[in-house]
Amino acid sequence: MEKKRTDDYEPGPVPPPAPLDRFGFVKPDLNNSPDGLARGRSANEYEREERRIRKWRKMIGVGGSDWKHYVKRKPHVVKRRIRKGIPDCLRGLVWQLISGSRDLLLMNPGVYEQLVIYETSASELDIIRDISRTFPSHVFFQQRHGPGQRSLYNVLKAYSVFDRDVGYVQGMGFLAALLLLYMSEEDAFWLLVALLKGAVHAPMEGLYQVGLPLVQQYLFQFDQLVREYLPRLGEHFTQEMINPSMYASQWFITVFSYSFPFHLALRIWDVFLYEGVKIVFKVGLALLKYCHDDMINLPFEKLIHALRNFPEDAMDPNTLLPMAYSIKVSKRLEGLNQEYEKKNGKQVQLADFHEKQKQS
């Protein structure tokens, strides 16, 4: 079969040079760096980071050879270090180790190349259309049909062929793009497979299937958690007819990679890949708790704006994440999952009943 890639598209002009932050994003304002990353590090900070990297290298071994053994021996140490943040230079490797994607890659040699080069996808035009909207301010993805956009196209196209039931949905682009900033195309593809198919944690594919069934479940669970953990704010949301679908869908679909500051999104992803989706609920609740007093008296329009535009100080990982870690949701999420399935099962039965009534 004829080779089918974006190679027949000519790359566009290279964007003019612009000041970048340390992650490769164009800085909106040199004088106002919200994450404080524009300034140079002090000697003490540099030494502390070097010590941290040495600890991590010892923990994972050469190419990850010691990782599984260390996790079994000292799981609490691993969890604590991941919650403090994985060193950026090791992030790509560690993400592959904790997600189970490295094992998938080794078990499926040549599969990615086959999907990219020799298979065709019904989603190809949709993927091409959406690529320029994914991290448009990052230097890797700025050039039209440049190396970054081609890599992103290849990963998304390969997945749409690999899992034709899910195919391609727009939010998947942010997951794939984030991964591509830390690993090769093939590694990013298998990590996407690990996430959507559930190599370690619950499968994410329901976030992207027709009707977004898992999004509906997570929004139901989050709504209940808000009412229980933040009852006054939950009551105010009810009075103003605010529900999580108006502000939290993207949190789950892109795991905060769509609109959150990148340095915060990375820290959340470190924990998400190790501990699963509960961190999304915890961070969401922590944000609402942090902004509780500001939101409690806002009318509908201002409330919606506030829920989509959190203040800078709320986005500080060193403030927000410890608050999120202190919120315990695991048992309650299990209970709400059963409650949702029971409620949803009754709705399905009722729909079947009405359908049979129409046919009789």
Side-chain angles (χ1 to χ4, degrees), residues 20-22 27 29-30 32-41:
L20 305 175
D21 69 14
R22 75 179 177 108
K27 290 179 186 174
D29 185 349
L30 278 172
N32 181 25
S33 178
D35 57 7
L37 293 171
R39 64 179 179 81
R41 290 179 177 176

Side-chain angles (χ1 to χ4, degrees), residues 123-131 153 156-157 160 168:
S123 304
E124 288 176 18
L125 291 178
D126 292 332
I127 295 169
I128 291 169
R129 181 197 65 210
D130 290 339
I131 276 175
Y153 169 84
L156 294 172
K157 180 233 172 171
S160 72
Y168 165 74

Side-chain angles (χ1 to χ4, degrees), residues 18-296:
L20 305 175
D21 69 14
R22 75 179 177 108
F23 297 113
F25 288 90
V26 175
K27 290 179 186 174
D29 185 349
L30 278 172
N31 299 316
N32 181 25
S33 178
D35 57 7
L37 293 171
R39 64 179 179 81
R41 290 179 177 176
S42 69
N44 285 341
E45 287 175 320
Y46 182 79
E47 286 173 16
R48 190 162 60 244
E49 182 66 8
E50 285 297 303
R51 282 199 303 271
R52 199 166 74 94
I53 291 169
R54 283 197 295 272
K55 281 182 184 176
W56 270 90
R57 288 193 189 281
K58 187 177 178 182
M59 186 166 72
I60 63 181
V62 178
S65 56
D66 295 338
W67 175 256
K68 289 181 181 178
H69 177 65
Y70 199 99
V71 170
K72 283 179 184 174
R73 221 162 33 93
K74 298 184 177 180
H76 298 300
V77 173
V78 173
K79 182 177 179 179
R80 186 178 72 246
R81 288 183 180 172
I82 286 175
R83 284 186 167 193
K84 286 182 178 178
I86 300 167
D88 205 55
C89 62
L90 299 174
R91 192 165 255 135
L93 173 59
V94 176
W95 280 5
Q96 292 172 62
L97 294 172
I98 61 182
S99 67
S101 69
R102 174 58 65 91
D103 294 335
L104 289 176
L105 170 69
L106 295 174
M107 289 188 291
N108 294 278
V111 170
Y112 177 72
E113 184 182 9
Q114 173 77 22
L115 293 169
V116 171
I117 298 177
Y118 299 108
E119 300 287 347
T120 58
S121 165
S123 304
E124 288 176 18
L125 291 178
D126 292 332
I127 295 169
I128 291 169
R129 181 197 65 210
D130 290 339
I131 276 175
S132 60
R133 305 172 193 173
T134 309
F135 291 146
S137 64
H138 195 283
V139 67
F140 187 53
F141 299 111
Q142 278 192 319
Q143 186 185 13
R144 186 166 175 75
H145 305 308
Q149 291 196 5
R150 287 174 187 242
S151 290
L152 182 55
Y153 169 84
N154 288 341
V155 172
L156 294 172
K157 180 233 172 171
Y159 192 85
S160 72
V161 175
F162 176 81
D163 184 355
R164 294 187 188 271
D165 290 337
V166 170
Y168 165 74
V169 177
Q170 191 175 7
M172 293 164 63
F174 286 92
L175 273 65
L178 180 68
L179 300 176
L180 281 168
L181 296 179
Y182 285 91
M183 60 195 73
S184 70
E185 277 184 31
E186 189 172 19
D187 290 333
F189 168 76
W190 286 113
L191 209 157
L192 197 61
V193 172
L195 289 175
L196 270 66
K197 291 300 182 183
V200 174
H201 300 293
M204 286 177 67
E205 59 189 355
L207 294 173
Y208 310 106
Q209 288 168 338
V210 176
L212 311 179
L214 198 54
V215 178
Q216 306 305 324
Q217 178 192 314
Y218 287 165
L219 293 178
F220 168 80
Q221 290 172 298
F222 189 74
D223 191 35
Q224 298 303 312
L225 290 174
V226 171
R227 294 172 191 276
E228 293 169 20
Y229 283 83
L230 304 164
R232 283 183 61 218
L233 192 59
E235 180 58 31
H236 182 56
F237 283 176
T238 300
Q239 289 171 357
E240 295 296 327
M241 292 192 288
I242 298 283
N243 65 70
S245 66
M246 297 174 177
Y247 62 91
S249 297
Q250 288 288 356
W251 296 355
F252 292 103
I253 291 172
T254 69
V255 193
F256 293 114
S257 62
Y258 173 64
S259 59
F260 271 45
F262 195 69
H263 64 292
L264 174 58
L266 289 174
R267 291 284 303 277
I268 294 170
W269 269 74
D270 290 345
V271 180
F272 166 68
L273 290 171
Y274 191 63
E275 298 184 31
V277 75
K278 64 184 177 182
I279 189 60
V280 181
F281 290 94
K282 290 181 171 196
V283 169
L285 289 170
L287 274 170
L288 297 184
K289 184 178 179 182
Y290 187 90
C291 300
H292 181 282
D293 294 348
D294 295 328
M295 289 183 174
I296 200 70

Side-chain angles (χ1 to χ4, degrees), residues 302-355:
K302 290 185 177 179
L303 196 50
I304 284 290
H305 183 267
L307 286 164
R308 294 174 181 172
N309 300 273
F310 287 96
E312 221 172 84
D313 54 336
M315 297 293 201
D316 179 356
N318 297 322
T319 302
L320 182 65
L321 294 182
M323 191 184 295
Y325 301 150
S326 71
I327 299 171
K328 307 302 178 190
V329 297
S330 297
K331 286 185 180 177
R332 192 66 192 108
L333 280 175
E334 287 176 20
L336 288 170
N337 184 30
Q338 292 170 4
E339 193 177 318
Y340 180 79
E341 286 180 355
K342 194 173 177 182
K343 171 175 167 279
N344 215 38
K346 285 181 180 176
Q347 288 177 345
V348 171
Q349 288 173 1
L350 196 60
D352 290 344
F353 173 75
H354 287 312
E355 189 62 33

